[in-house]
Amino acid sequence: MSELSHPPAAPGPDVEAVPGPAGRPGEFVGRSPGRLAWLRLKRDRTAKASAVTLAVAALVALGAPLLGRLTGIDPTDKFVDRLNDFGMPIGYAGGISSDHWLGLEPGSGRDILMQLVYGLRTSLFIAFTSALLASGIGVAVGVLAGWARGWLDSVVNWLIDLTLAFPFLIFALAVIPILQDRFYSDREAPSPAFRVALIVATFGLFSWTYTARLVRGQVISLREREFVEAARAAGAGTTHILLRQLLPNIWAPILVTVSLMVPQFIAIEAALAFVNIGVTEPTPDLGRMIFNSIGYVASDPWYTLFPGLTVFLLVLAFNLLGDALRDSLDPRSTR
């Protein structure tokens, strides 16, 4: 049989069929790397489940004030009349009822659902803001070091190695109280906004190193590529090359880094609140809820279960989505 009699080969995964006009055959159009990554991500069931979980969590966090208006309950309201003489909620499973869907906090009598919703809002805000700050610093430092090379690159590498030598969690435990004492005396309680800003600044200023090292390596590998040389030959300046030529080609690893940085910050912020160095009262916080519930684990395990399960699901969903995003953006992936 001649070669002309063989049926045409099936198109590869990097092309898609586009139907032509009536009476004319269609044609195959190449898919962009972004579209290929999106198609791989849509086929990943784990990524879909993680994305739905995070979308629900984000909607609940953003809709916290609306939920408060609908229920008529504020996260700081205390229902002490529904506690017994020992400070424990009256009723089944920690005081769960039609008015308080997740029960009441032992001792304070605050509504656990409202504390959980507003605490989710606090944790997501701190994690996302810290991740964006750390990524912005890391991208700027990495691009400058990878492009300039020479003494600037050496100084940046030395600074990265020095920063990585500090155990981050231990460093955060030490630096947050020290900085707080510089602005507030022993008799003054720090404002919740100050503590949140201090946590975000600590996370951002001491977590940029991984992004900087990643971006530096990407810039070094791309700075001598043909498209950069063509831009130089066309008279493009350094700013144009960095912002219009290099950054669009390294957005994929930066996005993956941000997606994996957020769950790390959620867990660390909960750990800081657990040891009573995180967000202060009256701002609701998931980690502080777990810290407050330790004394009631035996008598009221539901109080520990709800915030602990929320932190677990958040961290798990972000990590699974980050792994799926990394696989979908890998051009060598066959998924």
Side-chain angles (χ1 to χ4, degrees):
M1 184 180 294
S2 64
E3 294 183 359
L4 297 177
S5 61
H6 284 292
D14 56 344
V15 296
E16 61 179 338
V18 178
R24 297 185 181 180
E27 59 181 358
F28 295 108
V29 179
R31 292 171 175 162
S32 65
R35 179 164 177 77
L36 286 173
W38 173 246
L39 291 175
R40 295 192 195 103
L41 198 62
K42 286 201 304 183
R43 290 196 295 264
D44 194 328
R45 295 181 179 178
T46 303
K48 289 182 180 178
S50 301
V52 170
T53 302
L54 295 177
V56 171
L59 289 176
V60 170
L62 292 174
L66 177 60
L67 181 62
R69 286 195 293 267
L70 291 176
T71 59
I73 299 175
D74 191 81
T76 59
D77 292 341
K78 297 181 179 181
F79 300 88
V80 293
D81 58 321
R82 302 193 180 186
L83 304 179
N84 59 22
D85 296 337
F86 301 98
M88 300 301 296
I90 300 174
Y92 175 75
I96 293 179
S97 64
S98 58
D99 296 327
H100 307 284
W101 297 350
L102 298 183
L104 299 173
E105 284 186 341
S108 66
R110 293 181 298 193
D111 186 84
I112 291 181
L113 176 61
M114 297 309 300
Q115 283 284 312
L116 195 68
V117 170
Y118 276 88
L120 178 64
R121 193 179 194 184
T122 302
S123 296
L124 289 178
F125 173 80
I126 291 177
F128 271 108
T129 307
S130 302
L132 292 177
L133 178 60
S135 299
I137 296 174
V139 170
V141 173
V143 168
L144 291 177
W147 179 260
R149 303 301 301 273
W151 67 269
L152 180 59
D153 189 25
S154 300
V155 170
V156 169
N157 278 325
W158 178 83
L159 184 59
I160 289 175
D161 293 336
L162 181 64
T163 305
L164 291 175
F166 289 97
F168 174 69
L169 184 56
I170 297 178
F171 185 81
L173 290 173
V175 73
I176 290 178
I178 293 174
L179 292 178
Q180 178 178 306
D181 292 341
R182 295 294 300 270
F183 293 93
Y184 291 89
S185 64
D186 295 337
R187 298 182 178 180
E188 293 179 301
S191 66
F194 173 82
R195 183 62 74 88
V196 170
L198 184 57
I199 293 174
V200 170
T202 304
F203 286 178
L205 295 177
F206 293 94
S207 300
W208 55 269
T209 50
Y210 296 102
T211 304
R213 180 163 285 180
L214 173 66
V215 171
R216 171 186 172 273
Q218 293 288 324
V219 171
I220 291 175
S221 66
L222 293 175
R223 68 193 303 270
E224 304 300 335
R225 297 285 293 272
E226 291 81 1
F227 66 92
V228 177
E229 294 294 338
R232 284 198 191 103
T238 302
T239 303
H240 174 87
I241 294 175
L242 294 178
L243 299 181
R244 303 296 297 275
Q245 302 296 329
L246 292 180
L247 280 182
N249 286 280
I250 60 176
W251 66 269
I254 295 174
L255 184 60
V256 173
T257 303
V258 172
S259 67
L260 295 176
M261 209 180 279
V262 171
Q264 176 187 0
F265 288 145
I266 291 176
I268 295 177
E269 189 273 330
L272 291 178
F274 182 79
V275 296
N276 207 24
I277 305 183
V279 179
T280 57
E281 293 280 7
T283 304
D285 184 76
L286 298 177
R288 196 179 64 250
M289 290 180 69
I290 300 175
F291 171 76
N292 293 338
S293 69
I294 294 302
Y296 305 99
V297 172
S299 57
D300 188 5
W302 300 97
Y303 183 29
T304 307
L305 175 64
F306 293 129
L309 185 61
T310 302
V311 173
F312 171 76
L313 291 177
L314 275 179
V315 174
L316 179 63
F318 270 112
N319 280 324
L320 292 177
L321 183 61
D323 290 338
L325 191 61
R326 179 179 55 196
D327 292 337
S328 65
L329 292 172
D330 187 356
R332 296 167 297 182
S333 176
T334 57
R335 296 178 64 177

